[in-house]
Amino acid sequence: MEKGRISAAQLSILAFMSVLATSLLTAPGIVATAARQDMWLSPLLASGVGFTIMWILVKLNELHPNETLIQYAVTLLGRPIGKLIGVFYLFFSIYTTSSVLRQFTDFVKLTFLLKTPSFVISSSMALICALCVRGGIETVSRLPMLLLPFIAVFILMIYMPSIIELKMYKFQPILGDGPGPSLIGAFKLMSWLPVFTFTNYYLPYVANKRHILRWAYLSVTLFTSVVCITFVIVYAVLGPATANYAYPFMVIARFISFTEFFEHLESIVMMIWTIEIVIRIIFGMYGTSLGLAQWLNLPDYKPVVIPLGMLLVLFSYWGISNSYFVSSPQMILFYLLFGLVIPAILLVIGLIRHRIVRPSASGLGGGKPAT
């Protein structure tokens, strides 16, 4: 079905940039409502979930090196239950990807293209991403590597001029209300970290898996670091007002003024947002297309890419009331169920089966130890 191969480094950067996509712009305002001056601690506390998800997926891949979650769910649970889990997981993939498309559409509609119909914005983005997905896994994985230097430069262009505006006293008192607010903020970040589970679609196609767990941890570490730095800069500039803005990162860009020449950097934020969203939608769309083709036992995933893109556009309106709904407590639990709980259950079942099957095979082999 997929003949291409990617490196562990490419998968790591792809996962990092995909999860970072919407969090850079919207997460500061969402987390600040709960954690306030301790919001910078929330990414550090939440990172444990990201590391756990990556560890679970890598261990599952070691047990089933040539299968995605859609395939080894059937292997571990049997065809009826495995297929049912697969269809629910595909729904999760479609829903989360369409929610990102909705967030992008709302942002562009409210800040830049005020008179452009929302359907034109979302369908144009879906078409671009679908064409990239049809190029195969190598195209999908090389795109983030190509764009990463530009993203790094653009983000630094926002960070560096903001340094002179930092007021670090706004973080006092540290843990003034105890660890509770930071933990609530970490819980709100669960709208993003479970997306790391989409790497299960890509792991079977990694060429050299010798250090795959290190690269997987690197993607979580990069995400945590960038989000933590962003939280520090945003709150040090805006203070308690951070919670009043839907896009605090954009607010900072609008007020940057350096030597009366380097100012009004909203266009840079727009470039960052667009590039990241393209990578995030491609990340989810490729995995969902591949998983859907595997669930239907199709010989190729490419025929389902364009119909899936149309479905994403429809879901972005029908299934999501607004872009803020995805950060509600019920949606966070929904993300955790499919991003963490179901893979963890599959790993437990896989380990139990592995320990039962290996001794049985050893006994049939005349008592020789399994190799």
Side-chain angles (χ1 to χ4, degrees):
M1 182 176 293
E2 175 60 72
K3 304 300 182 183
R5 289 294 181 267
I6 62 176
S7 68
Q10 288 174 332
L11 179 56
S12 178
I13 297 302
L14 173 62
F16 155 63
M17 293 185 66
S18 299
V19 180
L20 184 68
T22 58
S23 61
L24 199 64
L25 212 60
T26 59
I30 293 172
V31 176
T33 58
R36 298 183 294 278
Q37 74 273 12
D38 295 324
M39 61 184 292
W40 62 276
L41 288 171
S42 295
L44 302 177
L45 297 173
S47 63
V49 174
F51 289 120
T52 303
I53 291 173
M54 285 303 203
W55 181 83
I56 290 172
L57 295 177
V58 170
K59 292 302 177 182
L60 280 168
N61 183 254
E62 291 177 358
L63 296 175
H64 306 276
N66 300 315
E67 295 180 342
T68 66
L69 187 144
I70 302 299
Q71 295 172 308
Y72 54 67
V74 176
T75 303
L76 296 173
L77 303 175
R79 187 174 181 83
I81 299 178
K83 285 290 187 180
L84 185 62
I85 293 295
V87 74
F88 281 131
Y89 197 84
L90 288 172
F91 172 78
F92 166 73
S93 302
I94 293 172
Y95 191 90
T96 53
T97 305
S98 63
S99 71
V100 173
L101 182 60
R102 175 61 180 269
Q103 292 178 64
F104 171 79
T105 303
D106 287 352
F107 172 75
V108 174
K109 176 72 175 176
L110 293 174
T111 56
F112 290 97
L113 305 180
L114 304 179
K115 297 183 179 180
T116 304
S118 299
F119 180 78
V120 174
I121 299 172
S122 58
S123 58
S124 299
M125 175 61 77
L127 178 61
I128 293 171
C129 294
L131 294 175
C132 184
V133 168
R134 285 180 61 88
I137 192 172
E138 293 182 356
T139 301
V140 171
S141 61
R142 287 172 181 170
L143 181 63
M145 297 291 287
L146 176 65
L147 298 177
L148 179 61
F150 298 98
I151 290 293
V153 171
F154 290 155
I155 291 178
L156 287 175
M157 289 176 67
I158 303 296
Y159 283 171
M160 299 306 291
S162 301
I163 292 178
I164 59 176
E165 302 293 336
L166 299 184
K167 305 293 188 295
M168 303 307 293
Y169 66 85
K170 294 181 180 180
F171 291 100
Q172 298 176 349
I174 297 176
L175 295 177
D177 297 320
S182 297
L183 290 172
I184 297 174
F187 177 74
K188 290 180 177 293
L189 284 174
M190 294 304 110
S191 294
W192 290 276
L193 285 167
V195 176
F196 278 116
T197 191
F198 287 171
T199 56
N200 84 85
Y201 294 119
Y202 297 82
L203 284 171
Y205 306 103
V206 175
N208 186 356
K209 300 180 182 179
R210 183 178 179 183
H211 300 299
I212 184 63
L213 187 60
R214 296 181 186 177
W215 285 106
Y217 284 167
L218 178 62
S219 64
V220 180
T221 303
L222 289 173
F223 170 79
T224 304
S225 302
V226 174
V227 172
C228 188
I229 293 171
T230 301
F231 282 10
V232 169
I233 291 177
V234 167
Y235 200 87
V237 174
L238 299 179
T242 303
N244 300 329
Y245 297 106
Y247 308 110
F249 196 68
M250 172 66 78
V251 174
I252 289 179
R254 283 177 173 168
F255 286 97
I256 285 177
S257 179
F258 186 68
T259 68
E260 297 185 357
F261 171 76
F262 196 68
E263 57 185 10
H264 299 296
L265 304 182
E266 304 97 308
S267 58
I268 293 179
V269 175
M270 185 62 193
M271 285 188 287
I272 297 172
W273 177 259
T274 303
I275 293 172
E276 291 276 9
I277 288 294
V278 167
I279 294 172
R280 168 63 182 88
I281 294 176
I282 289 172
F283 184 57
M285 184 182 288
Y286 174 84
T288 308
S289 301
L290 182 67
L292 181 60
Q294 292 170 342
W295 192 86
L296 295 172
N297 295 320
L298 299 178
D300 191 10
Y301 74 92
K302 293 182 180 179
V304 305
V305 173
I306 298 298
L308 179 62
M310 298 170 62
L311 191 62
L312 290 176
V313 174
L314 294 178
F315 258 76
S316 69
Y317 293 99
W318 290 351
I320 303 170
S321 56
N322 56 66
S323 60
Y324 303 103
F325 179 67
V326 297
S327 299
S328 60
Q330 58 268 34
M331 288 306 303
I332 291 175
L333 294 176
F334 172 71
Y335 275 55
L336 286 173
L337 173 63
F338 288 94
L340 177 62
V341 176
I342 289 179
I345 292 173
L346 290 176
L347 178 60
V348 171
I349 295 173
L351 291 174
I352 293 173
R353 287 186 53 145
H354 185 65
R355 292 185 178 182
I356 292 175
V357 170
R358 287 188 64 183
S360 301
S362 300
L364 292 174
K368 295 181 180 179
T371 58

